Amino acid sequence: MPEAFCQKILCENSAAKDPSYADLLMAGSSIHKSVKRGSIVSNAEDVNVIVSETTGLLAAARAEIGKIMPAQSSGRELLDDKTQKWAAFAAVWNEIINQMRLSDIISNSERDMLKFHTFPGFKKPVYFPIFQTAGCVELALNIVSEEASLLVMDDSKDFNVVLKREENMIARICEDVTVKEAVREVWELGWWFFQNLLGPTHKSDIDSLFEVFEHWASNKVLMQNIDSKHTMLAVKYVGDIVSILHSSLNGRHIHKNRETPKVLPKNGENGMKKSVSTGVLSSMVSDFNIGEQNGKKITSKLFKKNLDRRFNLAPRNDLLTVPDKARDEAREKLRPLLDSIRSMIKSNVGKGGVVLDKINFILSVEKGFMWDDYYATERLDMLSENPQALVLLSKLNGLLSIHVNEAEPSSKEAKRRLAFFANSLFMDIPQAPSLNSMLSWSCITPYYSEDVLYCKKDLKQPNEDGLSTLMYLKTLHKKEWFNFMERVGIQDEQLIWSKKYFQDLRLWASLRAQTLTRTVEGMMYNEAAIRLLSHIERCQPEQLESLIKQKFQYVVSCQVYGRMKKVQDPKADDIDRLLKRFPNLRVAYIDEVRERHNGNDEYFSVLIKASNNGESIEEVYRIKLPGNPIVGEGKPENQNHAIIFTRGENIQAIDMNQEGYFEEALKMRNLLQEFKPSSSSSVTIVGFREHIFTGGVSSLANYMALQESSFVTIGQRVLDKPLCSRLHYGHPDLFDKLFFVTRGGISKASKGINLSEDIFAGYNNSIRGGKVVFKEYAQVGKGRDIGMQQIYKFEAKLAQGAAEQTLSRDVNRLGIRLDFFRLISFYLGGAGYYVGNFITILSIAFVTNLMLTLAVFNLEKIGERKITPDGPVQMLLAGLGIMNNVPML
């Protein structure tokens, strides 16, 4: 996947081919450290990500990573090409996951399981996400256990037999790359974890233990020296220790009056010498009758008490108790872990003896983790204060304790989006150009008076069932509501109405309805995507802002914004708030001004933006119009008056009921490459997929979503290839601006005849020799009607629009000029669909009434001879069906 990502999404000649990874690796984890305003820092446990805004607020500033990392870094580490690709892919993937968390689609724990990890100073530059490696360690342990059982069945101590089993075990583990990497990660992270858990007193012992096992493994003599059947038990104890600390170190109470760690006593001082073999000491204590004291035999218990007094091995708990539940639980699991490792060793000489001595020392030393309460508590306090240790502990816990099913996000939306993004990387995508060479485009959204941002009245307003809007949204998006509460750190739901959290609440609710805020939020991800790609490809930071303004523009055509301002409509204030949140957003509206001397009205097309760092709103352009521009259908006229303010080489028309996704915005420059001239006719319209996000509201909405999905995927796919008759059926298609502006525009707005204004752009394009393509590697979200009456009105509008189309000159000209096969496809893709529905309904009504008439007049038989009218009727229906479907065939 990283190879496909870098090959298609990143520019082939970008500076990302630089073999250094100092900047690349930190792109994802540091992306949220630069904040302009409106920042909310996540909870204490959110170590790897610092949230810069609430639910995607200030998406433009959220990816401002060009100012974070230095352009050059001393002491760079050189990496191979494959690792560079993994680093670039990890940075982008982490930002996608961060955005999903800000949108409350996933929770904090799910975010941590989905993200790649980087740990400075470790061998691997990139560590796999937990969801990818979950359960892999268990698979490796099963392989080890199986090979150990087969070795026991062989009942042979021959070196070659054991070597063959070990080689087979290694080959089976390395066969799956994910399992192999999971074992490597557990080994490296586990080494670091036990070093820092047991502290400097035991550091050399831990290093010796791991080095011995590493030596055995590298020389393929591991099964010669250890009993592999105990491996699973030892790893289980490691997982228990990690789980205990993972759940207890977050939010741990730090013991402030900590003692300075004491080194081991020197020779001659009171205390046990490290040089003394604790193995001998352990054997002494194990006997029942050990020795004599004053001529009396003493038991092992009495001897141990005197021995502890002699060597000062009494636990510090006897002197001064430091209550620490996590420490005590970790010790309880550490003892059987060390015992299980000790039982694995087959020989107590050579390196096996070294392992036994080190384990005995860890268990016995007085001022170490197992006996010194202050020392052990201090080690846990230090781990809890180390952000990297907490992230590493979470990663290690995921490797050892999390099941495969638990590692996946619970949100269906998150699964769908991530799966589509991953699958799209293997589709036929054009090679991405450099950011400087990519085509520019402008998005335009027509807006009249729909909801912009829900206010308190909207949220508390009850519907016909007495259910408030907020309660309805909370019920419909229950998991996302819990994620929202977790993100903002609210325990009591009553606090959401407070001044501190109310704006977050408004935004959360508005992003789950068909509002202008949802559309603007999604489209502005294009700007955030350019920022991220510019950092990955090493663009010059000082040129970033001008590059963004040159390549992407978003204009919202708010037709009646001026009128809203005059009457102090709250929606105008919400539009101003959007302008201040997104500095590069532009709003176009029609301003109506009455002249003083003659009382006539003058009309202006006005473009406005936020200025002074979002403190005020200012005009950019004001163009006088010859009269009222709204002379036809409102929506196309609203689009047409704002096109003059777009400066991109291409135009993307976005409806009010649509939304964008950050991961899809990364592929926009690939999509724009479809306009690149080829040997055949140049492409003038590029269509792509839509996902209907309102399908889960009700059964009717689900039906509407399925119907719409079948058209925007299967239907348009077939119309494109092989029928070559796809037109323009609405947003979010991309247009060649120069082609359409010089040939009548993207919308025809005559009253009545252009009721379905979108289709006429497709007619105009086909008549004038344009080419339409449909691509499935990109998508946007789209909302549809969810009520019976809304669905009925929408279907009626489509049917009426199709009837009006049959009266237009465009359809007449197409019928004259198209070849026979394309003409039939054009018929089925337009008016023929409704003609076919009419024939079907008429046939059903005819058959039903015929059968009813025969039954009423008792004409189903003549005398004793029964007639079967089904035969002729079936022939009639078959004839009608063939007539209806022959064009499709």
Side-chain angles (χ1 to χ4, degrees):
M1 188 183 298
E3 288 80 2
F5 171 81
C6 292
Q7 180 184 359
K8 297 178 179 179
I9 306 302
L10 297 183
C11 175
E12 184 178 6
N13 299 321
S14 68
K17 300 296 183 182
D18 188 351
S20 66
Y21 73 98
D23 297 348
L24 266 181
L25 297 183
M26 301 306 295
S29 59
S30 303
I31 199 168
H32 295 284
K33 294 181 181 179
S34 178
V35 186
K36 288 187 177 179
R37 59 184 180 275
S39 63
I40 292 184
V41 180
S42 61
N43 297 333
E45 66 268 22
D46 305 343
V47 178
N48 209 27
V49 180
I50 299 180
V51 181
S52 68
E53 64 228 6
T54 60
T55 321
L57 268 175
L58 218 62
R62 190 167 56 79
E64 191 173 316
I65 56 181
K67 303 176 183 178
I68 299 172
M69 301 304 301
Q72 301 292 334
S73 176
S74 60
R76 295 181 175 186
E77 185 175 346
L78 301 183
L79 298 176
D80 58 277
D81 184 66
K82 184 177 180 180
T83 307
Q84 296 170 42
K85 293 177 179 178
W86 272 105
F89 177 73
V92 174
W93 178 271
N94 283 357
E95 177 57 10
I96 294 172
I97 301 304
N98 289 338
Q99 184 278 322
M100 287 188 173
R101 180 62 193 98
L102 292 173
S103 301
D104 297 318
I105 298 176
I106 57 177
S107 62
N108 289 340
S109 60
E110 291 172 338
R111 176 203 62 200
D112 295 338
M113 287 189 290
L114 290 171
K115 290 183 61 177
F116 285 89
H117 294 85
T118 58
F119 303 110
F122 283 70
K123 293 180 181 179
K124 291 184 62 178
V126 177
Y127 287 79
F128 283 175
I130 293 174
F131 86 95
Q132 188 174 1
T133 55
C136 291
V137 175
E138 185 179 355
L139 292 176
L141 291 174
N142 291 334
I143 293 174
V144 172
S145 299
E146 290 174 9
E147 295 297 331
S149 300
L150 293 174
L151 183 62
V152 172
M153 293 174 62
D154 292 341
D155 194 21
S156 174
K157 295 184 179 180
D158 182 59
F159 175 79
N160 292 327
V161 175
V162 180
L163 178 62
K164 183 179 179 181
R165 285 295 172 199
E166 184 161 352
E167 289 177 345
N168 189 41
M169 177 187 70
I170 296 174
R172 291 178 62 188
I173 292 176
C174 295
E175 185 178 1
D176 190 331
V177 177
T178 308
V179 175
K180 174 186 173 182
E181 292 299 320
V183 173
R184 288 181 57 195
E185 291 179 2
V186 167
W187 183 258
E188 184 179 3
L189 299 181
W191 193 335
W192 185 94
F193 168 70
F194 280 107
Q195 278 184 344
N196 287 267
L197 174 64
L198 301 184
T201 301
H202 304 290
K203 184 179 184 301
S204 60
D205 304 313
I206 295 298
D207 289 342
S208 298
L209 288 176
F210 276 87
E211 287 169 1
V212 168
F213 281 95
E214 200 171 55
H215 171 77
W216 286 342
S218 61
N219 289 279
K220 298 183 180 180
V221 292
L222 192 63
M223 299 184 78
Q224 292 277 358
N225 291 278
I226 68 170
D227 188 355
S228 303
K229 65 182 180 181
H230 297 289
T231 306
M232 188 171 290
L233 181 62
V235 174
K236 176 184 177 300
Y237 287 128
V238 175
D240 292 341
I241 296 172
V242 171
S243 296
I244 290 169
L245 298 183
H246 177 256
S247 60
S248 60
L249 291 189
N250 281 320
R252 173 182 170 86
H253 171 70
I254 306 299
H255 298 77
K256 296 182 179 180
N257 298 324
R258 297 185 300 206
E259 290 184 348
T260 304
K262 297 182 176 61
V263 297
L264 288 173
K266 298 180 181 179
N267 293 341
E269 296 182 3
N270 189 22
M272 189 175 191
K273 301 176 183 178
K274 189 174 181 180
S275 59
V276 177
S277 175
T278 55
V280 179
L281 183 61
S282 301
S283 62
M284 290 172 57
V285 203
S286 61
D287 295 332
F288 183 77
N289 294 320
I290 297 266
E292 294 186 30
Q293 184 177 6
N294 298 330
K296 297 181 180 180
K297 289 186 177 181
I298 56 175
T299 62
S300 60
K301 186 181 293 186
L302 182 60
F303 182 78
K304 186 175 184 303
K305 182 177 180 181
N306 284 274
L307 197 63
D308 289 348
R309 188 178 298 144
R310 175 182 175 186
F311 288 103
N312 195 19
L313 290 177
R316 293 288 294 271
N317 302 41
D318 295 345
L319 305 176
L320 183 61
T321 301
V322 180
D324 193 338
K325 182 180 178 182
R327 176 201 63 203
D328 297 339
E329 291 179 349
R331 282 175 173 174
E332 290 177 3
K333 297 296 181 181
L334 186 59
R335 288 188 182 92
L337 168 62
L338 296 175
D339 288 338
S340 63
I341 296 176
R342 185 159 48 189
S343 63
M344 292 167 58
I345 306 302
K346 292 183 177 180
S347 173
N348 58 358
V349 296
K351 291 188 178 299
V354 173
V355 172
L356 295 176
D357 281 349
K358 297 301 181 183
I359 291 175
N360 291 332
F361 180 78
I362 293 174
L363 289 170
S364 310
V365 67
E366 173 197 6
K367 297 181 180 179
F369 186 85
M370 299 302 297
W371 293 94
D372 193 330
D373 285 354
Y374 278 104
Y375 178 83
T377 298
E378 185 178 43
R379 296 312 310 162
L380 297 187
D381 288 346
M382 288 183 175
L383 283 177
S384 66
E385 292 176 325
N386 185 351
Q388 178 174 318
L390 295 177
V391 177
L392 188 145
L393 197 61
S394 176
K395 169 66 175 173
L396 199 55
N397 182 64
L399 285 165
L400 296 172
S401 305
I402 295 181
H403 194 263
V404 179
N405 296 332
E406 298 173 349
E408 294 184 356
S410 59
S411 169
K412 293 181 180 179
E413 177 69 3
K415 291 180 182 178
R416 182 195 65 80
R417 284 174 53 180
L418 292 176
F420 181 83
F421 175 72
N423 291 332
S424 68
L425 298 179
F426 300 96
M427 297 182 185
D428 185 17
I429 304 179
Q431 174 65 46
S434 65
L435 288 174
N436 288 321
S437 303
M438 68 176 286
L439 296 174
S440 60
W441 87 105
S442 299
C443 293
I444 183 169
T445 296
Y447 167 83
Y448 186 69
S449 61
E450 296 87 351
D451 291 324
V452 180
L453 189 65
Y454 280 157
C455 62
K456 190 172 184 178
K457 180 182 177 182
D458 297 329
L459 295 174
K460 289 191 172 183
Q461 184 176 3
N463 58 13
E464 58 273 12
D465 298 324
L467 195 66
S468 68
T469 303
L470 180 60
M471 182 59 66
Y472 176 76
L473 292 173
K474 285 166 56 178
T475 306
L476 191 62
H477 306 280
K478 186 178 297 184
K479 180 62 178 176
E480 295 180 15
W481 174 254
F482 291 139
N483 295 340
F484 167 71
M485 299 284 286
E486 179 187 32
R487 178 173 58 81
V488 299
I490 299 177
Q491 301 295 332
D492 184 6
E493 288 194 7
Q494 297 301 322
L495 294 176
I496 60 175
W497 300 105
S498 64
K499 186 177 180 181
K500 181 179 179 181
Y501 301 111
F502 182 60
Q503 293 301 326
D504 293 337
L505 174 65
R506 294 183 66 193
L507 187 60
W508 182 88
S510 300
L511 290 177
R512 277 144 191 85
Q514 298 183 40
T515 61
L516 180 62
T517 298
R518 183 173 191 166
T519 304
V520 172
E521 183 79 18
M523 290 301 105
M524 292 307 290
Y525 283 137
N526 290 300
E527 183 177 331
I530 294 176
R531 291 179 186 274
L532 178 60
L533 291 172
S534 68
H535 178 76
I536 297 293
E537 298 181 5
R538 306 293 200 278
C539 294
Q540 296 297 327
E542 59 272 11
Q543 300 176 359
L544 177 59
E545 292 303 322
S546 60
L547 178 66
I548 291 174
K549 293 178 180 179
Q550 179 186 358
K551 298 301 181 181
F552 172 69
Q553 180 194 27
Y554 187 28
V555 178
V556 179
S557 182
C558 303
Q559 176 182 329
V560 294
Y561 171 82
R563 195 182 306 166
M564 289 178 177
K565 270 293 189 181
K566 293 176 182 178
V567 299
Q568 297 182 349
D569 192 328
K571 292 179 181 178
D573 297 332
D574 293 334
I575 293 173
D576 291 346
R577 187 175 286 107
L578 287 176
L579 285 169
K580 294 174 181 178
R581 283 175 47 205
F582 301 103
N584 291 330
L585 175 65
R586 301 292 183 265
V587 168
Y589 69 95
I590 298 172
D591 192 17
E592 182 179 349
V593 179
R594 184 174 294 275
E595 292 184 354
R596 293 183 180 179
H597 60 279
N598 56 14
N600 295 330
D601 292 336
E602 291 186 341
Y603 296 90
F604 299 86
S605 283
V606 183
L607 186 72
I608 59 175
K609 68 173 184 177
S611 62
N612 299 326
N613 294 324
E615 296 297 328
S616 60
I617 305 296
E618 70 173 16
E619 286 188 8
V620 182
Y621 300 111
R622 174 177 285 266
I623 301 173
K624 187 175 182 179
L625 303 175
N628 188 355
I630 311 300
V631 295
E633 297 290 342
K635 179 182 173 182
E637 294 285 23
N638 194 7
Q639 285 185 158
N640 289 335
H641 99 89
I643 286 182
I644 57 175
F645 298 121
T646 60
R647 60 172 178 269
E649 299 167 85
N650 303 284
I651 295 179
Q652 183 180 19
I654 294 294
D655 261 340
M656 255 287 302
N657 60 344
Q658 293 182 304
E659 69 169 344
Y661 307 119
F662 177 77
E663 64 273 14
E664 300 306 313
L666 297 169
K667 296 179 283 189
M668 276 305 299
R669 61 174 173 174
N670 303 82
L671 197 62
L672 291 168
Q673 282 297 100
E674 300 289 348
F675 289 104
K676 188 176 180 180
S678 59
S679 56
S680 59
S681 59
S682 299
V683 173
T684 51
I685 296 180
V686 176
F688 52 99
R689 289 169 55 110
E690 294 174 294
H691 165 70
I692 311 303
F693 57 73
T694 52
V697 175
S698 63
S699 57
L700 281 173
N702 185 45
Y703 162 76
M704 192 67 182
L706 292 173
Q707 180 195 32
E708 189 74 9
S709 296
S710 66
F711 174 69
V712 299
T713 53
I714 301 174
Q716 295 197 32
R717 181 189 306 157
V718 174
L719 287 172
D720 179 39
K721 292 181 181 179
L723 300 183
C724 298
S725 61
R726 185 190 185 274
L727 302 174
H728 170 60
Y729 304 102
H731 309 114
D733 288 2
L734 282 160
F735 297 89
D736 184 335
K737 180 182 175 181
L738 182 62
F739 180 91
F740 277 91
V741 169
T742 57
R743 291 166 176 81
I746 65 173
S747 299
K748 288 192 176 182
S750 300
K751 278 286 186 182
I753 195 79
N754 297 130
L755 181 61
S756 298
E757 74 285 346
D758 298 322
I759 193 68
F760 286 92
Y763 292 158
N764 191 31
N765 179 72
S766 297
I767 292 171
R768 298 176 183 272
K771 182 180 178 181
V772 184
V773 295
F774 178 74
K775 299 300 175 180
E776 298 194 58
Y777 56 80
Q779 67 172 351
V780 295
K782 188 171 187 177
R784 272 304 180 196
D785 306 289
I786 58 177
M788 178 68 79
Q789 190 174 8
Q790 293 173 312
I791 294 175
Y792 161 74
K793 289 181 177 179
F794 175 73
E795 295 291 344
K797 175 181 179 292
L798 294 182
Q800 293 167 9
E804 294 287 351
Q805 293 166 31
T806 59
L807 305 176
S808 66
R809 295 177 180 176
D810 303 77
V811 172
N812 179 54
R813 289 167 179 164
L814 279 174
I816 294 172
R817 290 170 174 79
L818 287 177
D819 59 85
F820 176 73
F821 295 101
R822 288 187 67 191
L823 180 62
I824 294 176
S825 303
F826 167 67
Y827 166 78
L828 280 175
Y833 170 79
Y834 296 98
V835 173
N837 283 347
F838 172 75
I839 294 175
T840 302
I841 295 171
L842 186 63
S843 301
I844 293 173
F846 173 75
V847 171
T848 304
N849 286 283
L850 176 62
M851 299 301 294
L852 179 62
T853 303
L854 292 175
V856 168
F857 291 97
N858 198 20
L859 297 178
E860 294 174 306
K861 63 180 180 178
I862 302 175
E864 298 299 328
R865 183 181 177 185
K866 188 175 181 179
I867 65 172
T868 55
D870 290 346
V873 173
Q874 287 174 352
M875 292 179 63
L876 176 63
L877 289 176
L880 292 174
I882 292 174
M883 290 174 59
N884 191 32
N885 290 293
V886 160
M888 183 181 297
L889 298 174

